[in-house]
C-alpha cells in the first residue's frame, strides 16, 4: 500500500500545493504594504478592525465588542456615572485593582496592534518597509503606553492621597459608627469644622485664622457655613469635658492675645498636652469641642488646610479669578510697617498662588471680617477653577500638594458616605452666617445669643422669632454691610442682605463685583506702601 496521502490517482505536486495552501494568507488580507500599514494604524485606533480586514472575523468581532463596551463605559461615566467613579477614587483597594486593570488593558491593546500588523503585512518586505513597519508599530505602542502611564500615575497619586490624608488616626472626639451601613444613624445633620492654619516660615506654630463650621443636612444636602472671627474670646467647653474643668470660664492662658480663638490650636496643647487622652491632633480636638459648644452643635470631623502650602494648590490649578472691590494690602503690620504693595480693585482678577495667599491674608487697615469674607471667596474661586479638564491634566501635582497641606480626622471607611453627602451638597445653594462685629462683640461674646442665631439660621421661623435673646426681625443677624463712606477704600463688612428672620446669606453674594465701590476706591488712589 502506498504511503502517499494523495492516493494513487493524485499527482504528488498537487499534494505539495495543498500543503502550501494551509500556510497561505487569508484571502481578504491586503497584499500591498501601504494598505497593510494603514489598516494597522486603524486597528490601533479601533481595535479589531485589523483582524477583520485579515479575515479573522471571530477574533476581530470579539475585540471590537470588548472595545465597544469599554467606550460605552466611558460615555456612561461622562454622562452621569461620576458618583461611582468617585466611590472608586476614595477606595484604596479599588484603586490598586484599577492600576492592575489599566496596565493589563494597555498591554493587551499593544499586543493587538503588533498581532494585527503581523497578520496584515505582506510575506516579503524590502528592508526599508521592514524598518518603516516596525517604526510605525513602535510609535503606536508608545501612543498607547504614554496615556496609560499617565493614568497609572494619577491613580497611584490618588491612592497615596487617600492613604495619607485619610489615614486611620487616633482622635479624642471621633467615635466609630454604631452601624457601618448607616454611619450617620438617624442624625439629620453632620457638622464639619473647616480650619485654615496660618503656619509657615517666620511664624511661631500654627494659628487657625480661619474657623468655619459646615452644617450639612444629611437628607437634603442643604449646607450652611458658620464663620467665627479669629479674635473671639472666652471660647467655652462642654461641662462634661476635662477642658471645662481647667477653663470653666472659657479659654484663657493669661494673655489676651494668646487666648483668642485662633490661638487655641497652638496654645491649648502646650498647656495641657494629655488632657484629652490619646489623639493625633489635640489642637483640632480642642477646637471641635469648643466651637461646638459655642455654636450649640456637635462637631463630627475637622479638615485643616495649611495656608502656607495653599499657594502651591492655587498654582497647581493654574491660578484663580476673584473680584476685588477695594485695595487689598500685601503684608504690612498695623502701627509698625506699611504694606509692600496692594492688589488693585477690579473684576475677575487672575491671581497666582502667592498673590492668592496675599489676597486671603491681607489685613493692614482692614478688619478680620473682611479677611474672613475674602477667604470664603478664595475657597469659592478654587472650586470654580477645579474644572474636570484642569483636574485631569494636573491631577498628580494637585494630589501631591493636597497631601502636604490637608489633614483631617474623617476616617477612610466613611469616605463613600461623605461622597454621597457631597453630591447632595452640589445640588443646593450654600448659605453663610458670619459672626462679625455687626452680630456679636468678640471680646464679650454672648454665646446664648450665638446659639440662638445658629438655630434660627438652620430653621428660620416666620416672623423671625429666634428666642433666647435673638432679634425678633433678624436684623442684628443680618450680614448686610453699611454703605461705605464716599471715597472709602474698603467696606466695613461684606455679605449679602438676608431675608427677615434668616441670618444666612448666599456665599456667592459676598464675592460679587461691586463697580461703584471699586470705582470709589480707585478714585481715592492707591494707599501708601513701603516705597511711598
Amino acid at each position: 500500500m502506498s504511503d502517499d496521502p494523495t492516493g494513487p490517482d493524485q499527482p504528488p505536486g498537487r499534494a505539495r500545493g495543498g500543503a502550501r495552501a494551509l500556510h497561505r494568507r487569508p484571502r481578504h488580507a491586503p497584499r500591498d504594504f501601504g494598505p497593510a500599514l494603514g489598516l494597522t494604524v486603524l486597528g490601533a485606533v479601533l481595535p479589531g478592525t485589523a483582524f477583520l480586514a485579515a479575515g479573522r472575523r471571530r477574533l476581530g468581532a470579539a475585540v471590537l465588542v470588548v472595545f465597544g463596551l469599554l467606550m460605552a463605559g466611558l460615555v456612561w461615566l461622562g454622562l452621569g456615572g461620576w458618583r461611582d467613579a468617585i466611590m472608586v477614587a476614595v477606595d484604596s483597594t479599588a484603586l490598586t485593582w484599577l492600576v492592575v486593570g489599566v496596565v493589563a488593558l494597555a498591554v493587551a491593546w499593544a499586543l493587538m496592534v503588533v498581532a494585527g500588523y503581523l497578520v496584515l503585512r505582506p510575506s516579503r518586505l524590502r528592508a526599508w518597509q521592514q524598518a518603516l513597519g516596525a517604526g510605525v508599530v513602535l510609535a503606536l505602542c508608545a501612543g498607547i503606553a504614554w496615556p496609560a502611564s499617565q493614568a497609572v500615575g494619577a491613580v497611584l497619586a490618588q491612592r497615596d492621597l487617600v492613604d495619607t490624608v485619610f489615614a486611620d488616626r487616633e482622635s479624642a472626639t471621633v467615635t466609630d459608627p454604631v452601624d457601618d451601613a448607616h454611619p450617620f444613624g438617624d442624625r439629620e445633620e453632620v457638622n464639619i469644622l473647616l480650619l485654615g492654619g496660618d503656619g509657615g516660615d517666620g511664624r511661631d506654630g500654627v494659628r487657625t485664622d480661619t474657623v468655619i463650621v459646615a452644617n450639612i443636612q444629611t437628607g437634603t444636602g442643604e449646607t450652611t457655613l458658620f464663620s467665627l472671627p479669629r479674635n473671639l474670646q472666652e471660647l467655652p467647653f462642654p461641662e462634661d469635658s476635662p477642658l471645662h474643668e481647667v477653663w470653666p470660664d472659657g479659654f484663657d492662658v493669661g494673655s489676651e492675645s494668646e487666648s483668642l480663638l485662633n490661638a487655641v490650636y497652638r496654645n491649648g496643647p502646650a498647656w495641657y498636652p494629655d488632657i484629652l487622652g490619646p489623639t493625633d491632633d489635640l489642637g483640632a480636638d480642642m477646637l471641635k469641642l469648643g466651637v461646638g459648644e459655642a455654636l450649640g452643635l456637635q462637631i463630627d470631623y475637622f479638615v485643616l488646610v495649611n495656608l502656607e502650602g495653599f499657594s502651591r494648590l492655587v498654582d497647581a490649578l493654574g491660578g484663580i479669578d476673584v473680584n476685588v472691590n477695594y485695595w487689598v494690602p500685601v503684608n504690612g503690620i498695623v502701627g509698625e510697617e506699611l504694606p509692600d504693595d496692594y492688589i488693585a480693585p477690579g473684576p475677575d482678577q487672575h491671581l497666582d498662588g502667592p498673590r492668592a495667599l496675599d489676597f486671603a491674608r491681607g489685613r493692614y487697615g482692614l478688619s478680620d471680617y473682611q479677611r474672613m469674607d475674602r477667604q470664603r471667596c478664595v475657597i469659592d474661586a478654587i472650586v470654580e477653577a477645579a474644572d474636570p479638564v484642569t483636574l485631569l491634566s494636573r491631577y498628580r501635582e494637585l494630589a501631591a500638594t493636597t497631601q502636604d497641606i490637608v489633614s483631617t480626622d474623617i476616617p477612610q471607611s466613611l469616605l463613600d458616605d461623605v461622597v454621597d453627602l457631597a453630591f447632595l451638597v452640589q445640588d443646593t445653594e450654600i448659605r453663610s452666617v458670619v459672626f462679625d462685629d455687626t452680630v456679636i462683640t468678640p471680646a464679650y461674646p454672648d454665646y446664648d445669643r450665638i446659639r440662638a442665631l445658629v438655630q434660627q439660621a438652620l430653621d428660620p421661623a416666620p416672623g423671625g422669632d429666634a428666642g433666647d435673646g435673638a432679634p425678633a426681625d433678624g436684623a442684628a443677624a443680618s450680614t448686610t454691610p453699611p454703605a461705605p463712606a464716599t471715597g472709602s477704600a474698603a467696606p466695613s463688612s461684606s455679605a449679602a442682605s438676608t431675608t427677615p428672620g434668616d441670618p444666612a446669606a448666599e456665599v456667592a453674594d459676598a464675592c460679587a463685583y461691586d463697580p461703584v465701590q471699586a470705582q470709589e476706591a480707585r478714585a481715592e488712589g492707591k494707599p501708601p506702601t513701603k516705597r511711598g
Side-chain angles (χ1 to χ4, degrees):
M1 179 179 290
S2 172
D3 293 331
D4 188 349
T6 61
D9 298 326
Q10 186 171 0
R14 184 172 298 179
R16 289 193 296 271
R20 284 196 300 269
L22 294 176
H23 300 284
R24 284 179 185 164
R25 177 177 309 281
R27 58 190 178 91
H28 297 288
R31 295 181 178 275
D32 295 330
F33 176 71
L37 205 58
L39 285 168
T40 299
V41 174
L42 178 61
V45 177
L46 194 61
T49 53
F51 296 109
L52 290 175
R56 309 290 178 86
R57 294 174 179 172
R58 290 184 179 179
L59 177 59
V63 173
L64 269 177
V65 168
V66 173
F67 179 74
L69 290 174
L70 288 173
M71 291 302 100
L74 291 177
V75 171
W76 171 75
L77 283 177
L79 294 179
W82 284 105
R83 178 187 175 279
D84 296 274
I86 294 176
M87 288 296 186
V88 172
V90 297
D91 187 327
S92 183
T93 301
L95 289 170
T96 299
W97 282 109
L98 184 58
V99 168
V100 174
V102 170
V103 171
L105 177 62
V107 171
W109 201 329
L111 288 176
M112 291 298 100
V113 171
V114 174
Y117 175 67
L118 291 178
V119 299
L120 286 168
R121 69 175 183 176
S123 56
R124 294 181 180 179
L125 293 175
R126 296 177 181 178
W128 68 267
Q129 291 175 325
Q130 290 179 353
L132 179 58
V136 169
V137 169
L138 286 175
L140 293 173
C141 290
I144 295 170
W146 186 83
S149 67
Q150 295 300 304
V152 167
V155 173
L156 290 176
Q158 174 65 15
R159 188 185 65 178
D160 291 342
L161 174 65
V162 171
D163 289 341
T164 301
V165 175
F166 299 97
D168 292 333
R169 47 193 295 152
E170 242 178 334
S171 171
T173 54
V174 173
T175 56
D176 294 330
V178 176
D179 183 1
D180 290 338
H182 301 87
F184 304 132
D186 57 357
R187 292 190 56 196
E188 296 180 353
E189 64 184 26
V190 172
N191 297 293
I192 301 176
L193 178 63
L194 308 175
L195 303 172
D198 209 2
D201 295 338
R203 295 177 179 267
D204 182 17
V206 174
R207 289 181 178 269
T208 53
D209 285 340
T210 301
V211 179
I212 301 172
V213 172
N215 174 276
I216 306 172
Q217 300 298 307
T218 58
T220 63
E222 292 181 359
T223 300
T224 306
L225 304 180
F226 297 98
S227 299
L228 292 173
R230 61 185 287 276
N231 59 338
L232 186 70
Q233 297 187 27
E234 300 174 355
L235 184 71
F237 296 102
E239 291 185 2
D240 59 352
S241 167
L243 299 175
H244 185 271
E245 296 179 12
V246 297
W247 291 303
D249 299 320
F251 185 75
D252 185 357
V253 293
S255 167
E256 181 176 312
S257 62
E258 296 299 325
S259 301
L260 304 178
L261 175 62
N262 74 332
V264 173
Y265 186 89
R266 182 186 69 175
N267 294 338
W271 276 58
Y272 298 99
D274 302 313
I275 191 169
L276 294 180
T279 177
D280 289 328
D281 201 326
L282 179 57
D285 284 326
M286 287 183 167
L287 279 172
K288 286 172 67 177
L289 292 171
V291 172
E293 181 69 12
L295 298 179
L297 300 172
Q298 175 185 327
I299 307 297
D300 300 286
Y301 310 103
F302 82 89
V303 177
L304 170 64
V305 178
N306 190 326
L307 294 182
E308 186 64 23
F310 156 87
S311 64
R312 290 164 44 208
L313 178 64
V314 173
D315 279 336
L317 286 169
I320 59 174
D321 296 318
V322 298
N323 294 312
V324 184
N325 292 321
Y326 50 87
W327 296 96
V328 178
V330 177
N331 299 322
I333 302 175
V334 178
E336 299 181 22
E337 188 176 277
L338 287 171
D340 297 326
D341 199 357
Y342 281 86
I343 300 173
D348 296 324
Q349 300 271 46
H350 187 75
L351 309 180
D352 61 10
R355 209 59 165 174
L357 185 58
D358 292 333
F359 180 77
R361 275 180 172 167
R363 194 163 57 93
Y364 184 94
L366 304 175
S367 70
D368 284 332
Y369 312 112
Q370 290 164 307
R371 179 163 69 169
M372 290 163 61
D373 284 339
R374 294 197 309 274
Q375 287 173 348
R376 293 199 313 279
C377 294
V378 166
I379 293 174
D380 188 59
I382 287 175
V383 173
E384 287 292 326
D387 60 88
V389 174
T390 301
L391 289 176
L392 289 173
S393 62
R394 305 180 184 220
Y395 191 77
R396 294 172 72 171
E397 184 181 357
L398 286 168
T401 301
T402 303
Q403 287 183 55
D404 295 337
I405 68 174
V406 176
S407 61
T408 182
D409 60 356
I410 298 176
Q412 194 173 133
S413 60
L414 198 67
L415 288 181
D416 53 351
D417 299 283
V418 173
V419 168
D420 282 333
L421 272 184
F423 270 89
L424 288 175
V425 172
Q426 191 178 39
D427 295 331
T428 64
E429 292 292 337
I430 298 177
R431 304 189 306 158
S432 178
V433 176
V434 181
F435 288 103
D436 59 16
D437 54 359
T438 68
V439 181
I440 64 171
T441 303
Y444 305 99
D446 183 344
Y447 286 108
D448 286 335
R449 184 165 178 274
I450 289 175
R451 296 179 195 110
L453 291 175
V454 169
Q455 293 307 311
Q456 179 184 351
L458 296 179
D459 186 19
D465 183 13
D468 294 332
D473 59 359
S478 172
T479 50
T480 307
T486 302
S488 174
S492 57
S493 177
S494 79
S497 60
T498 59
T499 57
D502 183 1
E506 303 295 346
V507 171
D509 294 337
C511 307
Y513 181 61
D514 186 338
V516 175
Q517 184 184 15
Q519 179 58 37
E520 289 177 348
R522 286 194 296 268
E524 185 170 299
K526 184 177 180 179
T529 66
K530 288 180 182 178
R531 294 186 293 272

